[in-house]
Amino acid sequence: MTTTATRPGRSDDDALPDGAALPVADPATTRRAALRLVRLDGRAFALMLTLNALAAGAGLAGPWLLGRIVDTVRTGGGVRAVDRLALVILVCGLAQLLLARYARYVGHRFGERTVARVREQYVDRALALPAAVVERAGTGDLTARGTSDVTSVARTLRDAVPEVCVAAAQALFLLGAVLVLDPRLGLCGLLVFSGVFAVRWYLRRAREAYLAEGAATSALAELLAATATGARTVEALCLQERRTAASERAVERCRRTRTRTLFLRSVLLPAVDVAYVLPVVGVLLVGGALHGRGGISLGVVIAAALYLRQLADPLATVLFWAEQLQSSGAAFARVEGLGQAPRPRAAAPATLLPRPSPAPSPATPADDRIDVTAVHYAYGAADGSRSPAAHRDVLHGVDLTVRPGERLALVGPSGAGKSTLGRLLAGIDAPRLGAVTVGGVPVAALDPAALRRQIVLVTQEHHVFLGTLRDNLQIAAPDAGDATLSAALAAVGADWAAELPAGLDSELGAGGHRPDGSQSQQLALARVVLADPHTVILDEATALLDPRTARHTERALAAVLKGRTVIAIAHRLHTAHDADRVAVMEEGRLTELGTHDALVAANGAYAALWRSWHS
């Protein structure tokens, strides 16, 4: 079960992302990643190829022996000779069946192990993405890559790779057998390569077409997820027609991209079907003419024709999977592209290669002091966005020092830049100009794991994971015992947890207890207590609680977080009243800073806010 909110600054018209928010790996990077996967299980891959070659070799005996039977009968050979040849055909056929079956078994095991690595790598990379990157990319693109794209790669590794290996080995052996029988007939077999022109035409266009299809699918998933999550908001604001129109545009984009890939297949398949027939026709015509002149036996012609007729099956298999290989190649490029997403400089992307020797660790903060120095920030500027908003600062030269153990309240009207400053303090975004440091080290440059031990941001957007109450809490402290978990719940006033039938083992979400907004918020605050950071940023963290419960929770948190740095972004000014200092934001600038009493006495912007709220 999740509790989500739409991202700010997006309208229906721009609800169709172009799929470029998360990068896509280039062909060279994709090939290197595929080879890396093969090398990690090289022994199984080599065994699969060997078994496929042996199976293809055993399959060559049938047509050649059948040709020998024809020649034996024409020359007056006895039944015993024919029976011996037929028995050999049976034995070779059985050997081919057993070898092919074991080759597929080895291939499927190789595919399952490899796709397990791909899934694990994807999860590692997704969890390592900075929150800002995930927000800009959208859940639709990330979800589509982790579901349909990974599934496409899995199907290819599990099914396509073994099938294509078998088919390729059979095709090569069959062509080689025809050349050995008679080089002249072998030349006729080369007519099968007349379909290469259609294949080349297809391959030049397929990758981009399938990438466009994947991007359109991601955009549609993003739009549908946002619409379903915000269904009540859509209904309340009468946005049904706009969302329907946006959905129709997304569906139309999907239709166009899928029609494009369908057109490519409609050209490729008939052209290759013709290429299957030409070699057999050529062998029958040329072989018939040579046999009529006595230059070749009828058995050789029949054997060659059977070989080339059998060639259609492996080529059809290769062709069948060619479309899947192109589709999964584009999918793998999208999955592998996740490793190229921007991340903090100290964090290295997840890799399937053996880990190198540890690099020198980044600078460690000298203390818990947070300094904001001449900070300017514009949304989208760090991404090179060409949107006009990317060049318009929302923070202007902010200077602020937060002392260790201080309780600081950030207040101001909506849109003043409070939440933006909170994101910079938490390391989610980096300033365009200026610096935000903790203990002298830039916050955004800290490794994500180290950063979350230093600073935790809690907003009014919370996520409840499927699983038990214990699972949801131990995300923040995996080794915490029952007493510690219960104490964290009690600290945030989550009395409802004690009333659950199975206590900490109660299931949350579908089929179990469904936490409402306030309970989800209390779970998030309990995780903060368990994470035990030195700095906590509360961005309207009690907004979903009723005033009485919010006041009780804030007082409980104040006791639990005593001695830690607390930066509270709030509209309820009793939070500012209890703080050590109050910082007032207006139009992206820090206009006032001081204690509650001093700012009220100054009769400035904060005093006006206090009088308005208090009355």
Side-chain angles (χ1 to χ4, degrees):
M1 174 180 162
T2 60
T3 303
T4 58
T6 54
R7 298 197 306 277
R10 296 194 57 181
S11 64
D12 288 336
D13 291 337
D14 60 11
L16 303 177
D18 60 6
L22 287 174
V24 176
D26 58 77
T29 301
T30 305
R31 284 193 296 271
R32 286 195 298 270
L35 291 174
R36 186 169 67 242
L37 289 171
V38 171
R39 286 198 301 269
L40 287 173
D41 205 358
R43 181 175 298 179
F45 189 77
L47 178 59
M48 179 180 65
L49 293 180
T50 302
L51 291 171
N52 286 328
L54 292 174
L60 296 177
W64 179 75
L65 290 171
L66 185 60
R68 288 286 304 275
I69 290 174
V70 171
D71 288 339
T72 299
V73 172
R74 284 178 57 85
T75 57
V79 174
R80 182 173 298 179
V82 173
D83 288 344
R84 283 198 302 267
L85 293 173
L87 181 61
V88 176
I89 292 176
L90 180 62
V91 171
C92 291
L94 182 61
Q96 181 186 21
L97 176 63
L98 294 176
L99 288 168
R101 185 181 185 281
Y102 189 57
R104 284 182 172 84
Y105 171 76
V106 173
H108 280 287
R109 286 179 59 85
F110 164 79
E112 290 296 339
R113 286 194 297 267
T114 304
V115 77
R117 293 188 179 97
V118 173
R119 293 185 189 278
E120 291 167 1
Q121 174 186 257
Y122 182 84
V123 172
D124 288 343
R125 287 175 169 176
L127 293 177
L129 287 176
V133 173
V134 176
E135 289 178 357
R136 286 192 293 269
T139 56
D141 192 12
L142 198 60
T143 301
R145 294 186 189 219
T147 53
S148 59
D149 287 343
V150 171
T151 300
S152 177
V153 174
R155 181 169 180 243
T156 298
L157 291 171
R158 185 180 59 248
D159 300 328
V161 170
E163 294 284 346
V164 169
C165 287
V166 171
Q170 288 177 340
L172 290 175
F173 276 67
L174 289 170
L175 284 174
V178 176
L179 286 170
V180 170
L181 280 175
D182 190 283
R184 294 166 295 184
L185 298 182
L187 293 176
C188 295
L190 297 180
L191 290 173
V192 74
F193 294 110
S194 61
V196 167
F197 301 104
V199 173
R200 288 187 60 190
W201 177 88
Y202 172 79
L203 294 178
R204 283 199 300 268
R205 295 162 175 80
R207 185 177 187 274
E208 293 300 324
Y210 281 109
L211 285 176
E213 183 179 327
T217 301
S218 295
L220 180 59
E222 165 77 2
L223 180 62
L224 294 179
T227 302
T229 303
R232 293 184 179 180
T233 303
V234 171
E235 182 178 5
L237 299 180
C238 299
L239 299 175
Q240 293 92 331
E241 292 186 3
R242 294 181 63 184
R243 300 305 291 185
T244 299
S247 299
E248 289 176 349
R249 291 196 295 273
V251 171
E252 173 60 22
R253 183 181 175 190
C254 280
R255 187 196 65 79
R256 288 198 306 269
T257 57
R258 295 187 182 189
T259 301
R260 171 64 176 168
T261 57
L262 177 62
F263 166 72
L264 296 179
R265 294 193 295 273
S266 69
V267 173
L268 173 68
L269 298 179
V272 178
D273 283 340
V274 172
Y276 295 160
V277 178
L278 290 179
V280 179
V281 173
V283 164
L284 292 176
L285 291 176
V286 174
L290 293 173
H291 176 66
R293 298 176 184 175
I296 194 172
S297 71
L298 181 59
V300 171
V301 177
I302 291 176
L306 288 174
Y307 279 137
L308 293 179
R309 180 65 189 87
Q310 287 185 358
L311 189 61
D313 290 334
L315 290 180
T317 299
V318 172
L319 179 62
F320 173 78
W321 287 112
E323 186 271 336
Q324 174 67 21
L325 289 171
Q326 286 300 309
S327 176
S328 64
F332 189 45
R334 285 163 50 79
V335 172
E336 189 64 22
L338 201 66
Q340 300 175 351
R343 48 184 27 89
R345 285 169 291 179
T351 177
L352 291 175
L353 288 173
R355 296 187 180 277
S357 44
S361 59
T364 302
D367 53 36
D368 300 341
R369 170 173 164 152
I370 298 176
D371 291 296
V372 180
T373 308
V375 162
H376 293 256
Y377 181 77
Y379 282 102
D383 308 323
S385 172
R386 289 174 292 181
S387 168
H391 304 284
R392 185 168 60 248
D393 283 344
V394 295
L395 293 181
H396 311 273
V398 176
D399 290 285
L400 177 65
T401 295
V402 185
R403 298 184 290 267
E406 181 180 22
R407 291 179 300 166
L408 176 72
L410 277 177
V411 301
S414 297
K418 305 185 298 298
S419 294
T420 301
L421 180 57
R423 291 169 63 88
L424 296 181
L425 291 170
I428 293 176
D429 293 314
R432 185 178 66 83
L433 296 173
V436 179
T437 62
V438 55
V441 178
V443 174
L446 288 173
D447 179 82
L451 175 61
R452 296 306 160 229
R453 290 193 297 268
Q454 303 274 339
I455 303 172
V456 169
L457 171 66
V458 184
T459 71
Q460 56 184 298
E461 301 176 16
H462 307 302
H463 189 102
V464 178
F465 296 90
L466 289 174
T468 65
L469 177 59
R470 186 195 311 277
D471 295 335
N472 272 269
L473 294 173
Q474 287 184 331
I475 291 172
D479 299 327
D482 289 3
T484 304
L485 300 180
S486 299
L489 291 169
V492 298
D495 301 328
W496 53 271
E499 301 173 0
L500 296 176
L504 292 171
D505 293 318
S506 299
E507 291 288 336
L508 301 184
H513 177 72
R514 293 178 178 269
D516 57 27
S518 63
Q519 292 174 347
S520 301
Q521 205 161 41
Q522 287 174 326
L523 276 179
L525 294 173
R527 292 192 196 112
V528 174
V529 174
L530 292 166
D532 194 24
H534 72 65
T535 298
V536 179
I537 302 172
L538 303 174
D539 186 359
E540 294 293 338
T542 58
L544 297 180
L545 305 179
D546 63 84
R548 182 185 299 272
T549 304
R551 188 66 169 152
H552 171 71
T553 302
E554 287 170 359
R555 285 173 175 164
L557 272 175
V560 172
L561 299 177
K562 186 176 181 179
R564 295 178 177 82
T565 305
V566 178
I567 303 171
I569 303 169
H571 290 103
R572 293 170 177 167
L573 293 191
H574 59 68
T575 301
H577 180 274
D578 297 340
D580 298 325
R581 286 193 302 164
V582 180
V584 182
M585 297 286 298
E586 292 183 286
E587 298 182 352
R589 291 179 171 83
L590 185 62
T591 57
E592 291 183 329
L593 180 64
T595 65
H596 166 78
D597 293 336
L599 293 181
V600 170
N603 201 29
Y606 178 76
L609 286 173
W610 176 256
R611 287 193 296 269
S612 174
W613 180 82
H614 193 62
S615 63

